[in-house]
Amino acid sequence: MPRHNADIAAIFEEIADLLEIQGANPFRIRAYRNAARILGELSEDVATMLDKGEDLTRLPGIGNDLAAKIKEIVSIGHCSLLDRLHKELPATIADLLKIPGIGPKRVKALYHDLAVQTVEQLYRAARDGRIRALPGFGEKTELNILQAVEAHANQARRFKLAVAAQYAEALKNSLAAAPGVSQVTVAGSYRRMRETVGDLDILVAAAASEPVVQRFIQYQEVAKILSAGVTRASVVLECGVQVDLRVVKSESFGAALHYFTGSKSHNVAVRRIAQKKGLKINEYGVYRGNKRIAGQSEESVYAAVGLAYIPPELRENRGEIALAQSGRLPQLVTQSDLRGDLHAHTKATDGHNSLREMALAAKSLGFEYLAITEHSRRLTVAHGLDPLRLSRQCAEIDKLNAEMEGMTLLKGIEVDILEDGSLDLPDNALAQLDLVVGAVHSQFDLSRGKQTERILRAMEHPYFTMLAHPTGRLIQRRAPYDVDMVRIIRAAKNRGCFLELNAHPERLDLLDTYCQMAREEGVLISINSDAHSTHDFANLRFGIGQARRGWLEKKDVLNTRSLKELRRLIKQTM
Ligand code: DGT
Ligand code: CA
Ligand code: CA
């Protein structure tokens, strides 16, 4: 039974894909995609909201028709519209969309002109050179398709962190309620906040293991039991996620947690240090000879081998161990350090809430400031602002600021960086703003040299404050554009401007390794929600996770500054 928002979002995405392959009305398709996005970002399960008798049409982008479909899915477990679409199109056709670079339009052409229905048929069509002749494809596209299919076949399925979170947290709560359970932690890459996770590793401390294993394999979402023993079991959930369970005594919880959090290469390095000290370390504890000297808590494990406690996000064997030896680990930024958010949209463009609603939501998080950064005119699909509409919004912001206490809206724009590196709005429109966030939304396939020059040129613009989602990647959907990030980080340093870490779960861009580089160069990063609705501020936690993986401290993050200090810093860029 699909019951999590991610399940319903997946159904809506598939409907949108199939409708698009059929060539349906674009507005109808967009409605399903929007709804999928809203559901994907909602912090509360819609099933729970329905149980409580809440009206789903109050959610942004959900009208009567979509609300009825959500109810249908939650109550009967499937959607009759999707059932019908499955009868009209081959069942395998949606698989084609999983190949990067193949969108619904291409699937439509491949299906109609070459009768391609499966990934296998797609591969053969590309290999035999039949695709290049199709209008809009060509030889280069054909080669790309061939390579993408090969790469896809070699890639194990991974789940985006935010999607895995929905399944992990529900299962965790269920296990926590089992008799005799004292602690439950989702370990592995999930705890390290990797942007995607291969499987979930759940660790439970309990007096007796059997009742926990039983509860686990009987969990309502289990589709298949791979193995079940006395202290461990593995299952596959209906959504396709594999979950490994380990139950341990609470005296070993710390050692087991350390072992199953990984990463493997971090563990190997820690074990080597233990060996040099004549110690043995495993998932039960740290031992000198037969004597157990640590293992109840992770802190005790690190202390026993002479290391400071290393937060999970750092455990990738990228130098964190040497720092822990010398007591120089970074004091990682936390969500409570954030004083504001510098990238958000409203109803004026493609957002769902009013200025006031966004401001109040940010204030309720304890924020001091929120920058409103709508799209600019070039982005017509998002109904981007021209100079006149921007000026009107600025006037509205002035009015709101005059009446609000404890929350300041900053005037900004997410301005398109055009192909030649110029900005999509004239200087006199930008001059009235507090900050200018520049973004690449087109021409992703320029050569590395051209793409880099384009962005560098934009950054030189006197009003430029910050580069949004610097690599443009969408996790599992679009590769980063080819760009020399080292040069961009250096330019940001020289120019005194900032880079964004976009916290949207599909982006998480700037990537952790580049955060590390920016930090070394002394370039401040802003962790921004890119909120399109009041719910989206919840995504900041994923941005914080990526920032911590990138070793960022409070001082490295622009939006940990007070409004006064922030104003001083952004003024200097202009
Ligand atoms: P994933 O699931 O691919 O996103 O990545 P992880 O890191 O969650 O990896 P997974 O699920 O294979 O294993 C979970 C943790 O268990 C891993 O991070 C470290 C630990 N582990 C697994 N296999 C070994 C091993 O052979 N040696 C050591 N030292 N640790 C291991
Ligand atoms: Ca795992
Ligand atoms: Ca695992």
Side-chain angles (χ1 to χ4, degrees):
M1 279 286 277
R3 57 193 104 232
H4 296 292
N5 294 348
D7 301 312
I8 302 167
I11 290 174
F12 284 174
E13 278 291 353
E14 191 178 350
I15 289 174
D17 288 342
L18 295 178
L19 286 174
E20 200 165 348
I21 294 169
Q22 285 191 335
N25 178 336
F27 289 103
R28 188 165 171 227
I29 297 165
R30 182 99 56 82
Y32 283 103
R33 294 220 192 278
N34 272 338
R37 206 190 67 206
I38 300 293
L39 288 171
E41 292 166 352
L42 209 57
S43 43
E44 188 172 13
D45 261 343
V46 279
T48 315
M49 293 170 72
L50 284 173
D51 284 345
K52 288 197 275 185
E54 283 176 33
D55 178 8
L56 297 185
T57 62
R58 292 182 54 195
L59 293 172
I62 308 288
N64 288 329
D65 177 57
L66 285 164
K69 290 213 164 55
I70 294 173
K71 261 190 206 154
E72 180 191 21
I73 297 166
V74 169
S75 58
I76 66 169
H78 53 101
C79 174
S80 42
L81 170 61
L82 183 59
D83 299 344
R84 204 189 78 217
L85 289 168
H86 279 155
K87 290 200 187 101
E88 292 168 5
L89 288 165
T92 50
I93 207 154
D95 294 344
L96 297 176
L97 293 165
K98 300 204 176 96
I99 308 297
I102 304 270
K105 286 198 188 72
R106 287 196 163 156
V107 172
K108 190 177 168 193
L110 290 159
Y111 176 52
H112 281 281
D113 298 354
L114 297 178
V116 166
Q117 299 185 15
T118 66
V119 174
E120 165 80 312
Q121 288 167 350
L122 176 67
Y123 182 78
R124 274 188 265 134
R127 192 196 53 196
D128 301 346
R130 283 181 281 135
I131 290 179
R132 64 185 69 174
L134 294 184
F137 281 78
E139 218 164 312
K140 185 165 169 236
T141 306
E142 186 180 71
L143 182 66
N144 287 343
I145 290 176
L146 197 61
Q147 287 167 348
V149 175
E150 280 167 355
H152 182 75
N154 293 330
Q155 193 184 43
R157 180 156 182 219
R158 298 183 66 84
F159 292 80
K160 282 195 276 285
L161 183 62
V163 170
Q166 298 191 13
Y167 301 104
E169 297 301 322
L171 177 51
K172 179 181 154 182
N173 292 338
S174 166
L175 293 173
V181 169
S182 57
Q183 290 183 83
V184 185
T185 301
V186 185
S189 52
Y190 182 80
R191 185 162 179 247
R192 304 196 313 277
M193 299 291 281
R194 269 194 68 179
E195 59 203 33
T196 61
V197 304
D199 69 4
L200 293 169
D201 307 280
I202 300 195
L203 193 68
V204 175
S209 62
E210 276 112 333
V212 182
V213 171
Q214 281 311 309
R215 192 179 178 100
F216 177 67
I217 61 178
Q218 284 162 24
Y219 182 61
Q220 57 189 3
E221 291 172 34
V222 169
K224 193 169 159 198
I225 300 170
L226 300 174
S227 68
V230 181
T231 60
R232 60 170 84 186
S234 289
V235 301
V236 180
L237 300 181
E238 276 156 6
C239 58
V241 177
Q242 181 178 325
V243 192
D244 298 337
L245 170 79
R246 268 297 194 113
V247 190
V248 299
K249 294 261 182 288
S250 72
E251 73 224 33
S252 311
F253 192 74
L257 190 54
H258 180 256
Y259 183 91
F260 290 107
T261 296
S263 66
K264 201 167 157 180
S265 97
H266 172 89
N267 288 359
V268 168
V270 171
R271 202 176 313 137
R272 210 169 288 138
I273 290 176
Q275 278 160 359
K276 280 196 193 132
K277 292 184 183 297
L279 301 172
K280 207 182 88 192
I281 182 168
N282 61 26
E283 64 250 63
Y284 302 103
V286 184
Y287 298 83
R288 174 169 287 124
N290 288 330
K291 188 167 181 281
R292 208 179 90 114
I293 60 165
Q296 169 120 31
S297 68
E298 274 191 319
E299 284 81 358
S300 76
V301 172
Y302 281 111
V305 296
L307 296 176
Y309 174 77
I310 302 177
E313 296 91 337
L314 293 183
R315 300 182 196 171
E316 299 291 348
N317 199 21
R318 292 188 195 144
E320 73 278 10
I321 292 175
L323 293 186
Q325 276 175 316
S326 57
R328 287 180 297 128
L329 281 172
Q331 293 297 310
L332 300 181
V333 63
T334 65
Q335 189 147 356
S336 58
D337 291 331
L338 297 185
R339 312 267 292 255
D341 187 340
L342 297 179
H343 186 163
H345 300 264
T346 76
K347 278 210 279 231
T349 56
D350 60 346
H352 296 284
N353 290 97
S354 66
L355 272 177
R356 182 187 299 271
E357 286 162 347
M358 293 300 281
L360 292 178
K363 188 180 172 192
S364 74
L365 293 173
F367 284 173
E368 268 180 74
Y369 50 86
L370 173 68
I372 301 300
T373 54
E374 308 282 16
H375 291 292
S376 62
R377 57 191 174 187
R378 166 65 71 96
L379 212 59
T380 48
V381 290
H383 197 43
L385 299 186
D386 58 21
L388 183 63
R389 286 171 62 217
L390 178 61
S391 293
R392 282 198 197 127
Q393 186 178 62
C394 287
E396 254 185 275
I397 290 178
D398 283 335
K399 235 171 83 192
L400 260 176
N401 277 342
E403 65 176 79
M404 269 186 314
E405 293 264 332
M407 161 54 60
T408 302
L409 288 177
L410 297 172
K411 296 172 212 163
I413 187 81
E414 179 181 4
V415 66
D416 262 45
I417 297 175
L418 303 180
E419 287 71 20
D420 63 357
S422 62
L423 303 181
D424 183 31
L425 287 172
D427 289 4
N428 62 5
L430 301 177
Q432 64 192 319
L433 302 174
D434 296 307
L435 77 166
V436 171
V437 178
V440 168
H441 289 125
S442 59
Q443 301 265 311
F444 298 115
D445 53 1
L446 293 184
S447 71
R448 184 180 180 84
K450 281 202 177 128
Q451 195 72 277
T452 307
E453 287 309 323
R454 170 193 191 180
I455 295 172
L456 291 177
R457 175 154 179 240
M459 289 169 79
E460 264 159 29
H461 192 284
Y463 290 130
F464 191 98
T465 321
M466 187 189 308
L467 180 62
H469 39 73
T471 77
R473 65 95 175 252
L474 294 176
I475 297 171
Q476 296 175 324
R477 276 209 292 142
R478 188 171 73 210
Y481 36 72
D482 197 3
V483 73
D484 187 342
M485 199 47 71
V486 175
R487 282 186 67 198
I488 287 180
I489 291 170
R490 297 242 160 91
K493 168 75 187 165
N494 293 334
R495 168 75 177 71
C497 57
F498 309 102
L499 299 177
E500 171 179 83
L501 193 177
N502 188 298
H504 193 286
E506 294 231 310
R507 291 193 180 271
L508 296 176
D509 179 11
L510 206 56
L511 282 63
D512 49 7
T513 44
Y514 291 133
C515 287
Q516 226 170 344
M517 240 184 250
R519 168 185 142 91
E520 277 160 22
E521 291 284 335
V523 173
L524 296 189
I525 304 286
S526 188
I527 303 173
N528 296 338
S529 67
D530 196 355
H532 283 69
S533 82
T534 53
H535 305 287
D536 293 353
F537 293 116
N539 289 332
L540 283 167
R541 80 182 182 97
F542 300 111
I544 291 283
Q546 183 85 344
R548 289 167 64 89
R549 290 179 58 81
W551 294 33
L552 298 190
E553 303 190 300
K554 181 177 173 182
K555 68 168 173 51
D556 305 317
V557 178
L558 178 65
N559 50 331
T560 62
R561 303 296 197 269
S562 67
L563 178 60
K564 190 167 164 230
E565 178 66 6
L566 176 85
R567 279 199 192 278
R568 193 182 67 78
L569 287 167
I570 56 186
K571 211 176 213 123
Q572 282 173 357
T573 65
M574 298 203 168

